[in-house]
């Protein structure tokens, strides 16, 4: 487990991180989201040792990170970092060698990753000849070539079309499934919501929310329910303690008070529905990541 605890950093008089604390669990995809200037990239660079923090600690499995630990990390910066005139496979093998791999091991890992990322037929092309999306895939291969113990990715899905997103997602989740902590930032909240296990939301250098996707959706949900019947749902408006926010024939969305009384009111709606006929669906309405993000950063 990668743990960031009470990390702060200032540039001159500008405090860009203020007591940042969160964890990235083993084998879990953790989405790190925030607006421009929120502190995501600074946090990642401190994790990698590119920047030093003013205060705080970063540990892996309870032990403070050393340069040797960080040498085993995989990192993909937001900026393109590959040599444009080198061939794709040649460059990734070279980066694997820098991580201490043998030539044979680096070549085998490179070939495997390029095939899995859909770049096998471009292995001998120069980086500058690739489309921006394929350059992004090549950078992900570079971050993964040495089978890293921790993976830190800054905007890995930027510039990718939907098919490429699915390909990259598969490769990253397979790597996480080996027990590796994976931290990735993204502005594409729909992608984060779909693939992450855990979320960390940062704004103005402070953590505003963190937890599993399900925990955050539950914590930030309003006391709102949807009910889908096989008959008219207009009667829901007459139920005590209920405010209907949407009604369309046999479908209704309604709100109740938070707490025990609200729960009782919602259950009363369900009982009445079952008395009047079949119920196709009755469930709480949970917020999207985009809605949670807007709530916690405002």
């Amino acid at each position: 487990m990668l743990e960031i605890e009470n990390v702060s950093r200032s540039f001159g008089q500008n405090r860009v991180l203020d007591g940042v604390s969160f964890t990235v669990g083993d084998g879990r995809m953790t989405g790190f989201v925030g607006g421009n200037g929120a502190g995501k990239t600074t946090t990642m660079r401190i994790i990698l040792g590119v920047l030093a923090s003013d205060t705080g600690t970063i540990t892996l499995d309870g032990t403070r990170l050393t340069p040797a630990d960080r040498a085993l990390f995989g990192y993909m910066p937001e900026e393109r970092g590959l040599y444009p005139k080198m061939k794709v496979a040649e460059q990734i093998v070279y980066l694997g060698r820098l991580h201490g791999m043998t030539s044979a091991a680096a070549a085998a890992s490179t070939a495997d990753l390029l095939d899995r990322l859909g770049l096998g037929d471009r292995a001998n092309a120069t980086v500058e000849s690739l489309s921006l999306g394929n350059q992004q895939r090549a950078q992900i291969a570079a971050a993964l070539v040495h089978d890293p113990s921790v993976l830190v990715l800054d905007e890995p899905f930027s510039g990718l079309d939907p098919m490429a997103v699915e390909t990259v997602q598969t490769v990253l989740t397979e790597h996480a499934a080996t027990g590796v902590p994976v931290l990735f930032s993204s502005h594409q909240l729909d992608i984060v919501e779909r693939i992450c296990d855990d979320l960390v939301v940062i704004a103005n250098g402070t953590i505003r929310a963190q937890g599993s996707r399900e925990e955050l959706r539950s914590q930030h949900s309003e006391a709102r329910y949807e009910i889908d019947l096989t008959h008219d749902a207009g009667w829901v408006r007459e139920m005590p303690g209920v405010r209907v926010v949407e009604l369309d024939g046999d479908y209704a969305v309604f709100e109740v008070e938070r707490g025990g009384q609200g729960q009782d009111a919602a259950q009363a709606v369900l009982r009445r529905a079952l008395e009047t006929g079949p119920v196709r669906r009755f469930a709480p309405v949970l917020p999207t990541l985009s809605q949670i993000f807007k709530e916690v950063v405002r």
Side-chain angles (χ1 to χ4, degrees):
M1 180 175 69
L2 181 69
E3 186 170 7
I4 297 85
E5 185 174 1
N6 199 33
V7 167
S8 297
R9 170 74 197 215
S10 297
F11 294 103
Q13 299 300 312
N14 184 23
R15 194 170 184 83
V16 295
L17 296 179
D18 189 4
V20 167
S21 298
F22 63 91
T23 60
V24 185
D26 293 345
R28 296 184 71 81
M29 295 274 289
T30 299
F32 193 28
V33 300
N36 292 329
K40 301 187 302 298
T41 297
T42 299
T43 301
M44 289 181 162
R45 288 175 175 171
I46 289 173
I47 292 171
L48 271 294
V50 177
L51 290 174
S53 63
D54 297 331
T55 64
T57 59
I58 301 175
T59 60
L60 182 62
D61 297 330
T63 303
R64 293 186 71 143
L65 289 179
T66 66
D69 293 325
R70 288 184 166 105
L72 300 176
F73 285 16
Y75 177 50
M76 194 199 85
E78 184 176 8
E79 306 84 7
R80 310 248 178 231
L82 302 180
Y83 299 110
K85 297 190 180 300
M86 282 186 73
K87 293 180 180 179
V88 174
E90 177 185 1
Q91 179 158 181
I92 296 172
V93 169
Y94 170 70
L95 293 172
R97 297 282 287 134
L98 289 181
H99 280 285
M101 301 178 76
T102 65
S103 295
S109 179
T110 296
D112 175 62
L113 281 167
L114 292 182
D115 282 341
R116 289 165 62 198
L117 287 164
L119 289 178
D121 61 344
R122 305 306 307 275
N124 292 316
T126 60
V127 171
E128 65 183 359
S129 71
L130 301 180
S131 66
L132 293 180
N134 281 341
Q135 288 182 29
Q136 190 80 339
R137 296 195 213 195
Q139 291 218 140
I140 291 167
L144 286 166
V145 64
H146 59 293
D147 192 23
S149 59
V150 173
L151 193 55
V152 179
L153 307 169
D154 202 350
E155 296 290 340
F157 301 103
S158 177
L160 298 182
D161 62 40
M163 291 298 294
V165 167
E166 185 174 342
T167 298
V168 169
Q169 171 190 336
T170 299
V171 171
L172 295 182
T173 53
E174 286 174 351
H175 194 69
T178 66
V180 171
V182 177
L183 177 68
F184 70 97
S185 70
S186 181
H187 286 98
Q188 296 158 282
L189 298 182
D190 57 330
I191 295 175
V192 177
E193 185 166 26
R194 187 169 73 245
I195 73 173
C196 71
D197 300 301
D198 302 309
L199 296 169
V200 179
V201 181
I202 187 170
N204 297 322
T206 63
I207 301 301
R208 302 296 180 87
Q210 62 179 301
S212 73
R213 179 176 51 193
E214 292 75 18
E215 287 171 348
L216 288 182
R217 293 183 72 184
S218 176
Q219 290 169 9
H220 294 273
S221 64
E222 298 178 358
R224 180 175 290 192
Y225 294 82
E226 63 176 350
I227 188 166
D228 188 10
L229 309 175
T230 58
H231 49 283
D232 183 69
W235 56 265
V236 177
R237 290 177 295 192
E238 303 168 2
M239 296 294 293
V242 167
R243 186 177 75 86
V244 172
V245 295
E246 181 181 347
L247 179 62
D248 183 11
D250 53 10
Y251 176 81
V253 177
F254 64 91
E255 291 179 349
V256 296
E257 294 181 5
R258 288 184 177 274
Q261 289 187 339
Q263 290 291 320
D264 290 344
Q267 290 301 311
V269 171
L270 177 58
R271 286 194 298 272
R272 170 77 181 275
L274 291 170
E275 291 171 357
T276 57
V279 175
R280 284 191 291 247
R281 177 175 173 79
F282 178 82
V285 178
L286 298 176
T288 65
L289 174 56
S290 179
Q291 291 169 327
I292 295 171
F293 179 80
K294 290 175 183 177
E295 177 184 339
V296 301
V297 302
R298 63 189 176 193

